[in-house]
Amino acid sequence: MAIREILTVPDPRLKEVSRPVVGPVTDEHRALMDDMLETMYDAPGIGLAAIQIGVPLRIIVMDLSREEDAREPRYFVNPEILETVEEKKPYEEGCLSVPDIFDEVERSARCRLRYLDYNGNAVEEWAEDLYAVCIQHEMDHLEGTLFIDHLSRLKRQRAIDKVKKAKLRAIREDAN
Ligand code: NI
């Protein structure tokens, strides 16, 4: 397992549409998911899409447990949303690719999912609460959409500028 670099805005790769995994889930995919999970825990975050480490495949990892000694990793290969309810819920979201920016996004309160798990088994289930928020946020990444794309143009631009500035500051501090 290895910790990979997480892409941040305005990296153009974050706007790419990820392609499906074709054929069975292989050891290579599992190695990628292991790296993604380690990278996510290290950040730390609760969800990560493969494109966030520069791999344009429809793969997501997640852990909503928030407890280091009781980890509950979840893996999603080729996830699809089959159904959503009309009820929307706001949630203050953040994203490892838009560090230190948080803002409210409204999404469906529940959705029914289909995906392949770590071992390639097909799963169908309903997601609600934080799980529903997180899977919809992560599946947006697969379409090249970030949570700031749900905000006003002004807020989005401000967020990107802030991340860029913070990055420049970090580079300068490293050089000193
Ligand atoms: Ni994100």
Side-chain angles (χ1 to χ4, degrees):
M1 289 209 279
I3 293 170
R4 312 269 206 110
E5 193 198 337
I6 297 175
L7 307 181
T8 56
V9 286
D11 193 303
R13 285 170 287 180
L14 292 168
K15 307 305 289 177
E16 274 181 46
V17 176
S18 294
R19 58 177 191 274
V21 169
V22 179
V25 176
T26 64
D27 285 344
E28 213 175 310
H29 298 124
R30 279 185 278 273
L32 171 65
M33 290 191 271
D34 291 344
D35 279 3
M36 287 169 62
L37 198 72
E38 196 180 358
T39 303
M40 184 192 84
Y41 284 139
D42 177 69
I46 59 170
L48 191 78
I51 192 61
Q52 292 181 273
I53 58 164
V55 180
L57 281 176
R58 301 184 83 81
I59 295 179
I60 288 165
V61 297
M62 190 184 296
D63 189 332
L64 306 174
S65 67
R66 301 176 194 231
E67 277 172 57
E68 222 165 285
D69 47 359
R71 285 181 168 171
E72 288 170 20
R74 303 173 194 232
Y75 309 87
F76 306 85
V77 177
N78 295 342
E80 290 172 84
I81 291 179
L82 303 173
E83 197 179 334
T84 55
V85 294
E86 255 176 59
E87 184 195 350
K88 306 267 187 218
K89 266 193 184 164
Y91 189 84
E92 177 129 305
E93 297 190 14
C95 179
L96 295 176
S97 293
V98 196
D100 301 320
I101 305 288
F102 301 91
D103 214 324
E104 208 167 76
V105 177
E106 273 204 351
R107 301 186 188 270
S108 296
R110 276 174 291 134
C111 55
R112 192 160 65 90
L113 305 171
R114 176 163 63 202
Y115 59 92
L116 302 177
D117 67 12
Y118 192 79
N119 297 309
N121 299 314
V123 179
E124 252 190 60
E125 66 193 5
W126 278 94
E128 56 183 15
D129 302 322
L130 185 57
Y131 182 19
V133 172
C134 196
I135 194 68
Q136 289 175 82
H137 172 118
E138 298 308 329
M139 285 185 65
D140 265 0
H141 278 295
L142 307 183
E143 306 304 324
T145 301
L146 299 165
F147 85 96
I148 53 171
D149 293 324
H150 293 284
L151 309 176
S152 70
R153 181 190 291 251
L154 182 68
K155 277 189 171 181
R156 178 161 61 248
Q157 197 51 53
R158 247 189 229 154
I160 293 170
D161 289 345
K162 242 182 171 175
V163 173
K164 270 161 106 177
K165 258 185 218 158
K167 210 179 193 177
L168 281 176
R169 208 179 308 129
I171 290 168
R172 267 202 306 271
E173 273 163 20
D174 273 358
N176 287 339

XYZ file of all heavy atoms in Angstrom, residues 89-169:
673
model
N -31.840 17.069 1.198
C -31.307 17.450 2.500
C -30.027 18.235 2.302
O -29.176 17.837 1.507
C -31.005 16.202 3.329
C -32.133 15.789 4.242
C -31.644 14.761 5.251
C -32.798 14.258 6.104
N -32.447 13.030 6.817
N -29.858 19.340 3.039
C -28.606 20.089 2.957
C -27.557 19.474 3.875
O -27.890 18.931 4.929
C -29.004 21.481 3.443
C -30.131 21.246 4.388
C -30.830 19.987 3.950
N -26.310 19.564 3.478
C -25.214 19.080 4.317
C -23.982 19.918 4.016
O -23.719 20.250 2.856
C -24.936 17.598 4.030
C -23.969 16.975 5.011
C -24.412 16.478 6.226
C -22.609 16.905 4.707
C -23.517 15.920 7.139
C -21.714 16.346 5.606
C -22.176 15.853 6.818
O -21.292 15.308 7.714
N -23.251 20.261 5.049
C -22.028 21.045 4.868
C -20.912 20.106 4.395
O -20.424 19.295 5.164
C -21.647 21.727 6.181
C -20.345 22.493 6.058
C -20.462 23.922 6.561
O -21.352 24.630 6.064
O -19.682 24.299 7.444
N -20.553 20.229 3.118
C -19.595 19.307 2.524
C -18.202 19.917 2.432
O -18.037 21.130 2.410
C -20.057 18.911 1.118
C -21.383 18.170 1.129
C -21.744 17.561 -0.215
O -20.885 17.458 -1.102
O -22.924 17.185 -0.347
N -17.248 19.023 2.351
C -15.873 19.395 2.068
C -15.326 18.380 1.087
O -16.032 17.430 0.728
N -14.096 18.562 0.633
C -13.531 17.640 -0.357
C -12.015 17.716 -0.269
O -11.457 18.815 -0.187
C -13.997 18.045 -1.757
S -13.347 17.001 -3.063
N -11.360 16.559 -0.305
C -9.899 16.541 -0.212
C -9.251 17.242 -1.403
O -8.104 17.669 -1.313
C -9.392 15.090 -0.115
C -9.808 14.342 1.161
C -9.336 12.899 1.106
C -9.261 15.044 2.403
N -9.987 17.397 -2.496
C -9.449 18.097 -3.666
C -9.716 19.599 -3.609
O -9.270 20.346 -4.483
C -10.037 17.504 -4.955
O -9.565 16.185 -5.132
N -10.485 20.014 -2.594
C -10.751 21.448 -2.375
C -10.499 21.719 -0.890
O -11.411 22.042 -0.136
C -12.212 21.808 -2.754
C -12.360 23.320 -2.903
C -12.669 21.097 -4.019
N -9.227 21.554 -0.447
C -8.946 21.526 0.989
C -9.374 22.800 1.716
O -9.233 23.906 1.191
C -7.422 21.343 1.052
C -6.911 21.572 -0.321
C -8.032 21.330 -1.258
N -9.890 22.590 2.923
C -10.244 23.668 3.856
C -11.395 24.552 3.386
O -11.573 25.656 3.880
C -9.016 24.539 4.182
C -7.898 23.714 4.811
O -8.231 22.843 5.642
O -6.726 23.905 4.456
N -12.173 24.072 2.425
C -13.362 24.799 1.982
C -14.583 23.940 2.348
O -14.589 22.737 2.085
C -13.356 25.027 0.453
C -12.078 25.735 0.009
C -14.617 25.761 0.011
C -11.980 27.193 0.399
N -15.561 24.564 2.972
C -16.769 23.838 3.362
C -17.969 24.688 2.989
O -17.976 25.893 3.201
C -16.766 23.560 4.870
C -15.573 22.743 5.293
C -14.398 23.364 5.692
C -15.616 21.353 5.235
C -13.285 22.623 6.050
C -14.507 20.601 5.592
C -13.339 21.233 5.997
N -18.977 24.047 2.417
C -20.196 24.786 2.112
C -21.350 23.801 1.960
O -21.143 22.603 1.741
C -20.031 25.618 0.843
C -20.810 26.926 0.929
O -21.918 26.935 1.518
O -20.311 27.941 0.411
N -22.543 24.362 2.091
C -23.733 23.531 2.103
C -24.169 23.148 0.683
O -24.238 24.008 -0.202
C -24.851 24.311 2.785
C -25.858 23.427 3.457
C -26.753 24.233 4.381
O -27.643 24.927 3.861
O -26.554 24.157 5.604
N -24.442 21.859 0.499
C -24.962 21.361 -0.772
C -26.228 20.571 -0.468
O -26.292 19.851 0.539
C -23.925 20.452 -1.478
C -24.491 19.865 -2.761
C -22.635 21.217 -1.770
N -27.235 20.697 -1.338
C -28.469 19.923 -1.170
C -28.440 18.716 -2.088
O -28.167 18.853 -3.284
C -29.680 20.789 -1.547
C -30.198 21.604 -0.411
C -31.666 21.975 -0.611
O -32.217 21.741 -1.704
O -32.244 22.500 0.347
N -28.715 17.566 -1.514
C -28.762 16.348 -2.340
C -29.947 15.507 -1.913
O -30.557 15.768 -0.868
C -27.479 15.525 -2.154
C -26.210 16.261 -2.519
C -25.020 15.306 -2.451
N -23.748 15.984 -2.612
C -23.134 16.194 -3.774
N -23.680 15.784 -4.911
N -21.960 16.795 -3.829
N -30.250 14.484 -2.705
C -31.345 13.576 -2.355
C -31.068 12.943 -0.996
O -29.938 12.535 -0.712
C -31.479 12.467 -3.392
O -31.823 13.030 -4.625
N -32.114 12.843 -0.181
C -31.950 12.327 1.169
C -31.606 10.837 1.171
O -30.930 10.349 2.069
C -33.221 12.570 1.974
N -32.094 10.120 0.161
C -31.804 8.685 0.071
C -31.644 8.296 -1.385
O -32.271 8.889 -2.265
C -32.952 7.867 0.681
C -32.860 7.722 2.194
C -34.079 7.035 2.782
N -35.254 7.864 2.682
C -36.439 7.444 2.264
N -36.610 6.202 1.901
N -37.464 8.277 2.193
N -30.827 7.280 -1.624
C -30.714 6.767 -2.988
C -30.417 5.269 -2.957
O -29.849 4.752 -2.005
C -29.643 7.523 -3.772
S -28.032 7.550 -3.029
N -30.879 4.614 -4.021
C -30.638 3.162 -4.119
C -29.473 2.954 -5.072
O -29.448 3.515 -6.171
C -31.888 2.447 -4.641
C -31.818 0.935 -4.498
C -33.221 0.320 -4.562
N -33.852 0.515 -5.852
C -33.745 -0.326 -6.887
N -33.034 -1.439 -6.761
N -34.344 -0.077 -8.029
N -28.526 2.152 -4.630
C -27.264 1.978 -5.350
C -27.074 0.566 -5.844
O -27.566 -0.387 -5.248
C -26.081 2.204 -4.396
C -25.988 3.489 -3.620
C -24.866 3.343 -2.605
C -25.698 4.603 -4.588
N -26.285 0.480 -6.904
C -25.782 -0.824 -7.330
C -24.296 -0.650 -7.611
O -23.882 0.324 -8.224
C -26.505 -1.283 -8.591
C -25.960 -2.602 -9.148
C -26.912 -3.242 -10.121
N -27.106 -2.378 -11.281
C -28.173 -2.449 -12.074
N -29.130 -3.310 -11.848
N -28.286 -1.641 -13.112
N -23.483 -1.586 -7.151
C -22.036 -1.505 -7.388
C -21.411 -2.874 -7.186
O -22.062 -3.812 -6.703
C -21.396 -0.491 -6.430
C -21.595 -0.793 -4.960
C -20.664 -1.555 -4.238
C -22.714 -0.333 -4.279
C -20.840 -1.834 -2.899
C -22.904 -0.612 -2.924
C -21.955 -1.360 -2.244
O -22.155 -1.639 -0.915
N -20.143 -2.984 -7.554
C -19.363 -4.183 -7.235
C -18.486 -3.848 -6.043
O -17.927 -2.742 -5.968
C -18.485 -4.584 -8.423
C -19.211 -4.863 -9.740
C -18.200 -5.176 -10.848
C -20.189 -6.025 -9.585
N -18.364 -4.791 -5.107
C -17.539 -4.521 -3.926
C -16.081 -4.949 -4.167
O -15.700 -5.297 -5.288
C -18.148 -5.180 -2.682
C -18.113 -6.709 -2.741
O -17.419 -7.280 -3.625
O -18.785 -7.340 -1.891
N -15.285 -4.923 -3.117
C -13.839 -5.237 -3.194
C -13.572 -6.582 -3.873
O -12.595 -6.746 -4.589
C -13.287 -5.251 -1.763
C -11.785 -5.284 -1.626
C -11.033 -4.123 -1.779
C -11.125 -6.458 -1.284
C -9.652 -4.136 -1.613
C -9.744 -6.483 -1.119
C -9.016 -5.321 -1.286
O -7.646 -5.336 -1.117
N -14.476 -7.526 -3.599
C -14.287 -8.863 -4.169
C -15.021 -9.073 -5.490
O -15.052 -10.181 -6.014
C -14.720 -9.916 -3.151
C -13.854 -9.868 -1.907
O -12.625 -9.889 -2.013
N -14.475 -9.772 -0.745
N -15.627 -7.999 -5.986
C -16.307 -8.097 -7.275
C -17.736 -8.596 -7.170
O -18.364 -8.899 -8.188
N -18.259 -8.700 -5.940
C -19.643 -9.124 -5.770
C -20.586 -7.955 -6.014
O -20.324 -6.839 -5.565
C -19.877 -9.657 -4.348
C -19.012 -10.864 -4.057
O -18.911 -11.776 -4.879
N -18.363 -10.866 -2.905
N -21.700 -8.232 -6.707
C -22.680 -7.180 -6.975
C -23.504 -6.914 -5.718
O -23.953 -7.847 -5.044
C -23.583 -7.611 -8.121
N -23.671 -5.648 -5.397
C -24.435 -5.243 -4.215
C -25.498 -4.246 -4.658
O -25.234 -3.384 -5.502
C -23.520 -4.558 -3.168
C -24.323 -4.118 -1.942
C -22.373 -5.467 -2.772
N -26.696 -4.378 -4.088
C -27.745 -3.377 -4.280
C -28.260 -2.992 -2.917
O -28.579 -3.861 -2.109
C -28.896 -3.969 -5.109
C -28.957 -3.404 -6.512
C -30.223 -3.811 -7.241
O -31.337 -3.488 -6.781
O -30.072 -4.482 -8.282
N -28.317 -1.680 -2.635
C -28.781 -1.261 -1.310
C -29.202 0.195 -1.328
O -28.845 0.944 -2.234
C -27.681 -1.468 -0.258
C -26.467 -0.586 -0.465
C -25.269 -1.015 0.379
O -25.349 -2.054 1.048
O -24.247 -0.305 0.333
N -29.952 0.595 -0.303
C -30.325 1.989 -0.114
C -29.274 2.665 0.744
O -28.787 2.086 1.724
C -31.680 2.096 0.588
C -32.837 1.942 -0.355
C -33.511 0.786 -0.644
C -33.437 2.981 -1.131
N -34.497 1.047 -1.553
C -34.488 2.380 -1.870
C -33.212 4.354 -1.277
C -35.286 3.112 -2.749
C -34.001 5.076 -2.145
C -35.025 4.463 -2.871
N -28.955 3.904 0.396
C -28.064 4.723 1.216
C -28.878 5.866 1.783
O -29.718 6.438 1.089
C -26.922 5.267 0.366
N -28.625 6.194 3.062
C -29.285 7.363 3.639
C -28.311 8.082 4.559
O -27.199 7.624 4.790
C -30.572 6.962 4.380
C -30.362 5.929 5.451
C -31.679 5.516 6.115
O -32.753 5.800 5.569
O -31.601 4.919 7.192
N -28.750 9.243 5.076
C -27.917 10.056 5.960
C -26.547 10.350 5.312
O -26.480 10.598 4.123
C -27.763 9.378 7.338
C -29.122 9.131 7.996
O -30.001 10.003 7.865
O -29.308 8.072 8.610
N -25.490 10.265 6.124
C -24.156 10.634 5.625
C -23.726 9.740 4.454
O -23.031 10.192 3.538
C -23.138 10.544 6.770
C -21.717 11.011 6.434
C -21.699 12.452 5.931
C -20.803 10.857 7.648
N -24.148 8.494 4.487
C -23.806 7.572 3.395
C -24.368 8.098 2.071
O -23.680 8.112 1.041
C -24.356 6.184 3.740
C -24.053 5.078 2.752
C -23.018 5.185 1.826
C -24.794 3.891 2.772
C -22.746 4.150 0.939
C -24.527 2.852 1.898
C -23.510 2.988 0.972
O -23.246 1.970 0.099
N -25.611 8.569 2.089
C -26.238 9.095 0.864
C -25.507 10.350 0.381
O -25.254 10.515 -0.818
C -27.715 9.399 1.115
N -25.155 11.221 1.324
C -24.427 12.446 0.968
C -23.107 12.074 0.307
O -22.747 12.552 -0.775
C -24.131 13.298 2.235
C -23.211 14.466 1.891
C -25.414 13.791 2.870
N -22.374 11.201 0.985
C -21.015 10.881 0.562
C -20.993 10.171 -0.796
O -20.190 10.512 -1.657
C -20.334 10.035 1.637
S -18.551 9.959 1.440
N -21.892 9.222 -0.995
C -21.848 8.487 -2.270
C -22.241 9.401 -3.430
O -21.662 9.320 -4.518
C -22.707 7.185 -2.221
C -22.356 6.282 -3.418
C -24.204 7.472 -2.221
C -20.969 5.690 -3.395
N -23.186 10.322 -3.198
C -23.555 11.246 -4.276
C -22.411 12.215 -4.566
O -22.141 12.541 -5.727
C -24.839 12.004 -3.921
C -26.074 11.096 -3.961
C -27.330 11.813 -3.482
O -27.967 12.535 -4.237
N -27.679 11.623 -2.212
N -21.710 12.656 -3.525
C -20.540 13.533 -3.689
C -19.449 12.799 -4.482
O -18.906 13.327 -5.448
C -20.023 13.947 -2.298
C -18.722 14.694 -2.309
N -18.600 15.984 -1.839
C -17.468 14.333 -2.715
C -17.345 16.379 -1.977
N -16.633 15.386 -2.494
N -19.161 11.562 -4.075
C -18.084 10.806 -4.738
C -18.459 10.450 -6.169
O -17.620 10.467 -7.065
C -17.755 9.535 -3.949
C -17.229 9.771 -2.533
C -16.068 10.736 -2.463
O -15.268 10.819 -3.410
O -15.973 11.449 -1.447
N -19.737 10.118 -6.389
C -20.142 9.761 -7.760
C -20.112 10.980 -8.674
O -19.886 10.846 -9.876
C -21.498 9.076 -7.749
C -21.340 7.633 -7.234
S -22.846 6.690 -7.302
C -23.120 6.620 -9.065
N -20.295 12.165 -8.120
C -20.084 13.396 -8.894
C -18.659 13.439 -9.449
O -18.439 13.839 -10.591
C -20.300 14.627 -8.003
C -21.710 15.199 -8.101
O -22.532 14.651 -8.852
O -21.966 16.209 -7.418
N -17.692 13.030 -8.620
C -16.287 13.044 -9.068
C -16.113 12.214 -10.339
O -15.293 12.542 -11.192
C -15.362 12.458 -7.986
C -14.975 13.426 -6.915
N -14.215 14.539 -7.144
C -15.229 13.430 -5.582
C -14.012 15.191 -6.008
N -14.625 14.541 -5.044
N -16.873 11.129 -10.450
C -16.737 10.244 -11.614
C -17.196 10.942 -12.891
O -16.846 10.543 -13.993
C -17.539 8.946 -11.415
C -17.267 8.173 -10.118
C -18.077 6.889 -10.098
C -15.781 7.875 -9.955
N -18.014 12.001 -12.717
C -18.487 12.786 -13.873
C -17.687 14.075 -14.030
O -18.037 14.936 -14.846
C -19.974 13.137 -13.705
C -20.893 11.945 -13.453
C -20.785 10.878 -14.534
O -20.601 11.244 -15.716
O -20.858 9.682 -14.193
N -16.644 14.228 -13.224
C -15.848 15.455 -13.309
C -16.498 16.636 -12.618
O -16.192 17.791 -12.913
N -17.404 16.347 -11.685
C -18.112 17.405 -10.955
C -17.639 17.448 -9.514
O -17.527 16.408 -8.860
C -19.635 17.136 -10.994
O -20.053 17.098 -12.366
C -20.412 18.215 -10.272
N -17.368 18.656 -9.030
C -16.947 18.844 -7.643
C -18.087 19.480 -6.864
O -18.974 20.094 -7.459
C -15.727 19.764 -7.602
C -14.497 19.240 -8.339
C -13.492 20.350 -8.565
C -13.859 18.086 -7.578
N -18.014 19.375 -5.520
C -19.136 19.945 -4.751
C -19.234 21.454 -4.943
O -20.330 22.012 -4.909
C -19.053 19.555 -3.265
C -18.185 20.437 -2.403
C -18.744 21.470 -1.671
C -16.826 20.233 -2.325
C -17.952 22.295 -0.873
C -16.027 21.047 -1.534
C -16.591 22.080 -0.808
N -18.101 22.104 -5.232
C -18.165 23.560 -5.455
C -18.873 23.899 -6.767
O -19.285 25.041 -6.955
C -16.761 24.212 -5.417
C -15.805 23.516 -6.385
C -16.204 24.218 -4.003
C -14.472 24.247 -6.548
N -19.025 22.923 -7.646
C -19.795 23.159 -8.877
C -21.286 23.306 -8.583
O -22.046 23.742 -9.445
C -19.572 22.017 -9.882
C -18.141 21.997 -10.403
O -17.563 23.087 -10.583
O -17.590 20.898 -10.617
N -21.695 22.911 -7.374
C -23.099 23.088 -6.969
C -23.325 24.463 -6.334
O -24.453 24.804 -6.000
C -23.513 21.994 -5.973
C -23.539 20.624 -6.575
N -24.548 20.194 -7.403
C -22.671 19.584 -6.485
C -24.307 18.942 -7.777
N -23.171 18.559 -7.235
N -22.240 25.224 -6.124
C -22.357 26.549 -5.502
C -22.450 27.615 -6.595
O -22.325 27.316 -7.772
C -21.134 26.812 -4.615
C -20.772 25.733 -3.587
C -19.491 26.109 -2.853
C -21.918 25.509 -2.610
N -22.627 28.859 -6.176
C -22.664 29.959 -7.144
C -21.281 30.101 -7.783
O -20.267 29.673 -7.222
C -23.041 31.256 -6.445
O -21.970 31.681 -5.607
N -21.262 30.744 -8.952
C -20.003 30.934 -9.663
C -18.997 31.711 -8.796
O -17.810 31.401 -8.761
C -20.291 31.708 -10.949
C -19.076 31.949 -11.808
C -19.422 32.912 -12.909
N -20.334 32.302 -13.873
C -19.962 31.965 -15.109
N -18.747 32.210 -15.527
N -20.818 31.413 -15.943
N -19.515 32.698 -8.067
C -18.658 33.532 -7.221
C -18.012 32.707 -6.108
O -16.809 32.761 -5.875
C -19.489 34.675 -6.624
C -18.717 35.655 -5.746
C -17.732 36.479 -6.587
C -19.670 36.583 -4.998
N -18.855 31.913 -5.437
C -18.337 31.074 -4.340
C -17.322 30.064 -4.866
O -16.317 29.775 -4.224
C -19.493 30.328 -3.674
C -20.233 31.147 -2.639
C -21.194 30.256 -1.897
C -21.809 30.967 -0.706
N -22.734 30.074 0.012
N -17.619 29.528 -6.056
C -16.728 28.521 -6.645
C -15.362 29.142 -6.930
O -14.327 28.582 -6.604
C -17.376 27.976 -7.924
C -16.525 26.967 -8.654
C -17.351 26.141 -9.611
N -17.998 26.947 -10.643
C -19.317 27.145 -10.739
N -20.141 26.595 -9.887
N -19.801 27.887 -11.712
N -15.384 30.319 -7.567
C -14.131 30.977 -7.929
C -13.333 31.339 -6.683
O -12.124 31.155 -6.634
C -14.408 32.217 -8.793
C -13.170 32.705 -9.539
C -12.462 31.578 -10.308
O -13.077 30.858 -11.097
N -11.161 31.371 -10.041
N -14.054 31.812 -5.659
C -13.391 32.156 -4.404
C -12.710 30.931 -3.791
O -11.591 31.009 -3.284
C -14.430 32.678 -3.418
C -14.235 34.136 -3.113
C -15.154 34.523 -1.970
N -15.865 35.728 -2.325
C -17.052 36.084 -1.832
N -17.683 35.308 -0.986
N -17.603 37.203 -2.200
N -13.393 29.804 -3.838
C -12.845 28.568 -3.275
C -11.577 28.167 -4.020
O -10.555 27.837 -3.409
C -13.896 27.452 -3.354
N -11.631 28.215 -5.349
C -10.471 27.822 -6.157
C -9.295 28.758 -5.878
O -8.152 28.311 -5.694
C -10.831 27.808 -7.666
C -11.843 26.683 -7.947
C -9.587 27.632 -8.524
C -12.455 26.718 -9.333
N -9.567 30.055 -5.817
C -8.501 31.030 -5.535
C -7.858 30.773 -4.177
O -6.644 30.860 -4.024
C -9.060 32.461 -5.572
C -9.413 32.902 -6.989
O -8.968 32.223 -7.940
O -10.146 33.901 -7.150
N -8.705 30.454 -3.194
C -8.211 30.193 -1.847
C -7.277 28.983 -1.827
O -6.217 29.003 -1.193
C -9.401 29.910 -0.926
C -9.558 30.894 0.208
C -10.741 30.474 1.056
C -10.840 31.278 2.323
N -12.058 30.933 3.077
N -7.689 27.911 -2.530
C -6.874 26.693 -2.573
C -5.553 26.979 -3.285
O -4.483 26.549 -2.835
C -7.640 25.538 -3.272
C -6.740 24.335 -3.480
C -8.870 25.150 -2.457
N -5.621 27.720 -4.389
C -4.408 28.064 -5.139
C -3.441 28.855 -4.265
O -2.239 28.580 -4.231
C -4.772 28.924 -6.357
C -5.079 28.123 -7.619
C -5.840 28.968 -8.596
C -5.098 29.461 -9.783
N -6.019 30.218 -10.687
N -3.970 29.841 -3.569
C -3.139 30.689 -2.710
C -2.489 29.876 -1.598
O -1.306 30.041 -1.316
C -3.997 31.797 -2.089
C -3.814 33.128 -2.781
C -4.581 34.227 -2.048
C -5.188 35.195 -3.051
N -6.327 35.940 -2.504
N -3.282 28.995 -0.973
C -2.760 28.170 0.121
C -1.634 27.280 -0.384
O -0.637 27.054 0.302
C -3.881 27.336 0.726
N -1.790 26.789 -1.603
C -0.784 25.903 -2.187
C 0.509 26.678 -2.448
O 1.600 26.194 -2.134
C -1.331 25.341 -3.500
C -0.792 23.967 -3.833
C -1.414 23.503 -5.119
C -1.199 22.045 -5.370
N -1.886 21.644 -6.614
N 0.379 27.863 -3.010
C 1.552 28.706 -3.272
C 2.283 29.025 -1.972
O 3.515 28.988 -1.903
C 1.125 30.006 -3.953
C 0.836 29.907 -5.452
C 0.319 31.237 -5.985
C 2.101 29.492 -6.212
N 1.481 29.328 -0.945
C 2.068 29.646 0.359
C 2.873 28.447 0.869
O 3.993 28.598 1.363
C 0.951 30.008 1.343
C 1.392 30.968 2.435
C 0.236 31.322 3.366
N -0.939 31.793 2.652
C -2.174 31.316 2.823
N -2.404 30.342 3.667
N -3.186 31.805 2.134
